[in-house]
Amino acid sequence: MSNITPQSGILDITLYQGGAAHVPGVENAVKLSSNENPFGPSDAAKEAFRNASYNLHRYPSSDHADLRHAIAEMHGLDPARILCGNGSDEIIAFLCQAYAGPGDEVIHTEHGFGMYRISALANGATPVEVPERERVTDVDAILNACTPATRLVFIANPNNPTGTMVGEGEVARLAANLPDHVLLVLDGAYAEYVEGYDGGAALVEARQNVVMTRTFSKLYGLGGLRIGWGYGPAHVMNVLARVRGPFNLSSAALAAAEAAIRDTEWAEKCREGNTRWRGWLAEALAEHGVPSDTSLANFILARFANQAEAEACDDHLKSQGLIVRRVAGYNLPNCLRITVGDEASCRRVAHAVGQFMATAR
């Protein structure tokens, strides 16, 4: 019998379950389970990716300078304090690796992104789940949960899978009232879908205890390339740079991301399309007796009477070739998360949910 054992906390990790992509026996199913951009990446990003193929025998940039400067230029940030990662998930992992370990606590909300808990456990830290208020981040609950052992607080704004958002004033109040030894991490994976929202950049600039993370996987349509970035105080980003591998992003990913962030016309087209069909889908579902909170992301959290009804509706959608996401693992067993697709996908989902609800109650 082997005495080889993993580090404490790792066996407590429940394997992350991504959104399903296939339905047995159904061809050409519509995937609305992973919050992907239905319009895909811009032509400029695709062209940059193709051009990168001519230099695949060369190692990529180790400092990501071109991409960091492009991000800085487009968002008005300091490129020296930007760190790029293999999706924003890797930035989250770096933060836990650098700032949380055995005996430390990492706070996340009850319906928060699953990688916060996973990354905490992977580094031997204790994840602490705090309640939300009607599926919205509760600042007072977070502050009350802080202890001398707390090291990190993660909140997604807008949140996944709820789609809700806590106001910038409340986030600033949270940052101002955290203990001096606690770092606040603002996960802005869906920030680009909120008109005029900076993802927390101004708060990062104003304070020494706030970091924000962003991704190219959502609005920019580059989920398959895994590109994310973080922005924070110099003292934090210097630490994260020490744990980042030198070649954690491919040259193709770097080139595509730079082209994507500069193509503001395509990004605005995708944002406008999402806003239009998100509103339409929410209203259509409500008319069928399926409510949802106002979403500020690229998905809707549809609420049903109970878990059985939610799962039965999911089964019906699958039978129609429509794949959405069950979110019982996020403490929302009576809900289904539905990505906002293109017009045809939204109309199909609304019609199928209407069919189901006509016979369910």
Side-chain angles (χ1 to χ4, degrees):
M1 182 176 178
S2 174
N3 289 321
I4 300 172
T5 58
Q7 298 215 43
S8 175
I10 291 179
L11 291 181
D12 295 325
I13 296 173
T14 300
L15 293 178
Y16 181 83
Q17 296 292 320
H22 306 284
V23 178
V26 177
E27 293 186 7
N28 301 318
V30 177
K31 184 185 178 190
L32 301 171
S33 58
S34 296
N35 303 339
E36 296 154 332
N37 183 342
F39 308 110
S42 72
D43 288 342
K46 289 185 281 189
E47 179 66 17
F49 182 82
R50 283 192 292 268
N51 289 339
S53 69
Y54 296 105
N55 289 296
L56 295 183
H57 57 301
R58 304 295 185 191
Y59 277 99
S61 161
S62 62
D63 63 7
H64 308 154
D66 290 344
L67 178 56
R68 288 190 297 104
H69 280 83
I71 292 169
E73 178 185 335
M74 302 309 294
H75 289 286
L77 305 176
D78 176 3
R81 292 191 283 137
I82 294 172
L83 186 89
C84 299
N86 188 248
S88 54
D89 293 0
E90 189 174 39
I91 308 299
I92 292 167
F94 289 158
L95 286 160
C96 288
Q97 181 182 353
Y99 289 99
D104 296 329
E105 295 175 350
V106 174
I107 290 177
H108 63 90
T109 65
E110 64 178 315
H111 307 309
F113 184 41
M115 290 307 300
Y116 310 148
R117 172 181 169 82
I118 289 174
S119 292
L121 288 170
N123 289 281
T126 301
V128 176
E129 180 180 294
V130 302
E132 297 179 8
R133 183 183 294 126
E134 294 295 317
R135 297 168 301 281
V136 178
T137 295
D138 185 336
V139 166
D140 290 319
I142 292 173
L143 291 174
N144 290 336
C146 288
T147 74
T150 306
R151 293 294 177 268
L152 294 164
V153 171
F154 284 100
I155 65 169
N157 210 29
N159 188 38
N160 172 30
T162 63
T164 59
M165 190 170 178
V166 61
E168 293 179 69
E170 278 291 273
V171 176
R173 182 169 73 88
L174 173 59
N177 288 280
L178 285 172
D180 291 343
H181 62 277
V182 177
L183 187 63
L184 173 61
V185 183
L186 302 177
D187 180 348
Y190 300 92
E192 282 85 0
Y193 289 103
V194 184
E195 192 70 35
Y197 177 48
D198 69 358
L203 193 61
V204 172
E205 298 287 14
R207 303 193 58 85
Q208 291 294 307
N209 66 335
V210 182
V211 173
M212 75 173 188
T213 66
R214 303 287 279 271
T215 185
F216 284 87
S217 297
K218 305 304 179 185
L219 182 70
Y220 296 108
L222 295 175
L225 290 182
R226 310 304 303 126
I227 315 142
W229 55 281
Y231 186 65
H235 71 93
V236 174
M237 306 318 285
N238 178 274
V239 169
L240 300 189
R242 295 169 187 270
V243 299
R244 178 184 68 85
F247 303 113
N248 60 324
L249 282 179
S250 71
S251 52
L254 290 165
E258 182 182 352
I261 201 167
R262 293 188 183 281
D263 194 341
T264 55
E265 183 177 347
W266 180 255
E268 185 57 31
K269 178 180 177 180
C270 293
R271 184 184 298 108
E272 289 177 353
N274 179 77
T275 299
R276 176 184 179 188
W277 289 105
R278 180 182 63 200
W280 184 93
L281 182 57
E283 185 175 335
L285 294 181
E287 289 175 356
H288 293 309
V290 180
S292 60
D293 298 311
T294 299
S295 173
L296 291 161
N298 67 336
F299 57 85
I300 288 171
L301 186 70
R303 300 201 309 274
F304 296 84
N306 49 53
Q307 182 171 359
E309 185 176 85
E311 292 180 354
C313 184
D314 181 44
D315 290 339
H316 176 71
L317 291 173
K318 286 178 182 175
S319 75
Q320 302 300 305
L322 299 164
I323 307 172
V324 300
R325 180 74 178 270
R326 296 186 186 187
V327 284
Y330 285 91
N331 300 314
L332 292 161
N334 65 322
C335 298
L336 297 176
R337 193 190 68 189
I338 305 172
T339 302
V340 177
D342 57 14
E343 177 179 357
S345 299
C346 288
R347 292 189 182 278
R348 281 185 62 184
V349 167
H351 178 70
V353 171
Q355 283 182 321
F356 171 79
M357 294 303 293
T359 61
R361 296 179 181 173

